[in-house]
């Protein structure tokens, strides 16, 4: 979503591919239950306390900044979300994970466990409502699943050969790399990123993901070849 201009509160909303699919079903499944606000386009260094026309004009330059149009690409918008924190909060929450970079060989699997620092007065904990994880290029994973704090595993969408993002919600996330070299061409590795956002804190972390072309071992059973980890 994006505001159309600075003078009126009119919001321009663009549906994602998933949103258009839900709307097209016309079965009541398309319901907007949550929204987020961000200030990606705002440069707060332009606030001028010593404006020549007085303090009423201190924010004039900020108010006249152009506004971003709505785009359905979560990797290019709302990178600076606004969050509501308890009064007296002295440190911003920070999402961390058990790995700073994900490196996978063909067909290999890893589990990412995020936690949050400086949340609810605790040094490090899981957020009550979990996390939202978005893989930027779904083509690079055979499976992308989320596990809730109670252990329930959310099903993964079927493999897609289209370069689109996919989002999962849970307490931890399992990534399994593709086991085919088709997408590599002459490259030895493929790159994407995993963005994890706390549903309660609004804090986020971006983790680089690298898929290596390396094949650790192969096996053939009844004329079917595959990768062995």
């Amino acid at each position: 979503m994006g505001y159309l201009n600075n003078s009126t509160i009119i919001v321009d909303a663009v549906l994602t591919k998933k949103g258009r699919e839900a709307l097209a079903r016309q079965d009541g499944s398309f319901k907007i239950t949550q929204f987020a606000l961000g200030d990606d386009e705002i440069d707060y260094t332009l606030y001028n306390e010593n404006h020549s026309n007085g303090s009423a004009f201190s924010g004039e330059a900020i108010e006249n900044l152009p506004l971003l149009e709505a785009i359905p690409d979560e990797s290019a918008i709302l990178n600076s979300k606004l969050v509501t924190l308890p009064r007296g909060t002295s440190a911003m929450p920070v999402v961390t994970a058990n790995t700073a970079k994900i490196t996978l060989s063909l067909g290999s699997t890893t589990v990412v466990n995020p936690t949050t620092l400086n949340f609810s007065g605790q040094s490090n904990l899981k957020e009550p409502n979990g996390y939202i994880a978005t893989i930027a290029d779904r083509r690079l994973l055979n499976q992308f699943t989320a596990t809730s704090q109670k252990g329930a595993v959310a099903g993964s969408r079927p493999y897609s050969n289209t370069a689109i993002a996919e989002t999962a919600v849970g307490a931890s996330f399992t990534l399994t790399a593709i086991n085919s070299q088709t997408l590599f061409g002459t490259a030895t590795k493929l790159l994407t990123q995993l963005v994890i956002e706390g549903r309660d804190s609004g804090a986020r972390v971006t983790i680089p993901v690298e898929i290596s072309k390396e094949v650790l071992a192969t096996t053939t059973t009844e004329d079917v070849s595959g990768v062995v980890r």
Side-chain angles (χ1 to χ4, degrees):
M1 296 188 304
Y3 289 109
L4 292 182
N5 57 61
N6 293 329
S7 59
T8 57
I9 305 177
I10 299 177
V11 176
D12 174 34
V14 178
L15 296 178
T16 62
K17 180 180 179 181
K18 185 176 181 180
R20 293 195 298 271
E21 290 175 353
L23 182 63
R25 285 196 292 267
Q26 296 183 350
D27 58 0
S29 61
F30 179 74
K31 295 180 180 179
I32 298 176
T33 59
Q34 295 177 317
F35 67 92
L37 300 175
D39 57 357
D40 293 1
E41 63 268 79
I42 305 301
D43 181 359
Y44 290 102
T45 63
L46 297 177
Y47 188 82
N48 182 11
E49 295 181 344
N50 301 313
H51 197 285
S52 58
N53 292 330
S55 60
F57 293 87
S58 295
E60 182 180 37
I62 293 177
E63 294 169 358
N64 290 326
L65 287 171
L67 299 175
L68 295 178
E69 294 184 5
I71 53 175
D73 183 354
E74 65 278 354
S75 66
I77 199 168
L78 283 180
N79 292 314
S80 300
K81 288 186 178 180
L82 303 182
V83 298
T84 300
L85 299 173
R87 185 179 297 275
T89 299
S90 59
M92 292 293 292
V94 177
V95 172
T96 62
N98 57 325
T99 179
K101 180 181 179 180
I102 299 171
T103 303
L104 298 170
S105 58
L106 293 179
S108 64
T109 297
T110 190
V111 177
V112 180
N113 282 298
T115 55
T116 306
L117 303 172
N118 307 325
F119 182 68
S120 294
Q122 303 295 316
S123 59
N124 196 9
L125 53 68
K126 287 278 189 183
E127 297 191 19
N129 289 310
Y131 299 85
I132 301 171
T134 301
I135 188 73
D137 190 345
R138 180 61 175 82
R139 297 177 305 165
L140 307 190
L141 300 178
N142 266 355
Q143 283 194 318
F144 177 48
T145 59
T147 303
S148 72
Q149 296 196 41
K150 295 182 178 180
V153 178
S156 177
R157 291 184 187 177
Y159 172 78
S160 172
N161 59 5
T162 303
I164 58 175
E166 182 177 338
T167 296
V169 178
S172 63
F173 306 92
T174 301
L175 290 73
T176 301
I178 54 176
N179 55 12
S180 167
Q181 297 182 352
T182 303
L183 292 177
F184 287 86
T186 58
T188 59
K189 59 185 178 182
L190 299 174
L191 304 176
T192 185
Q193 62 182 19
L194 180 71
V195 179
I196 302 177
E197 178 183 334
R199 299 186 70 192
D200 298 287
S201 68
R204 63 166 59 184
V205 63
T206 300
I207 303 174
V209 179
E210 177 182 306
I211 311 297
S212 171
K213 195 175 184 178
E214 176 186 7
V215 179
L216 300 184
T218 59
T219 183
T220 301
T221 303
E222 295 181 355
D223 298 325
V224 178
S225 298
V227 175
V228 176
R229 291 181 279 118

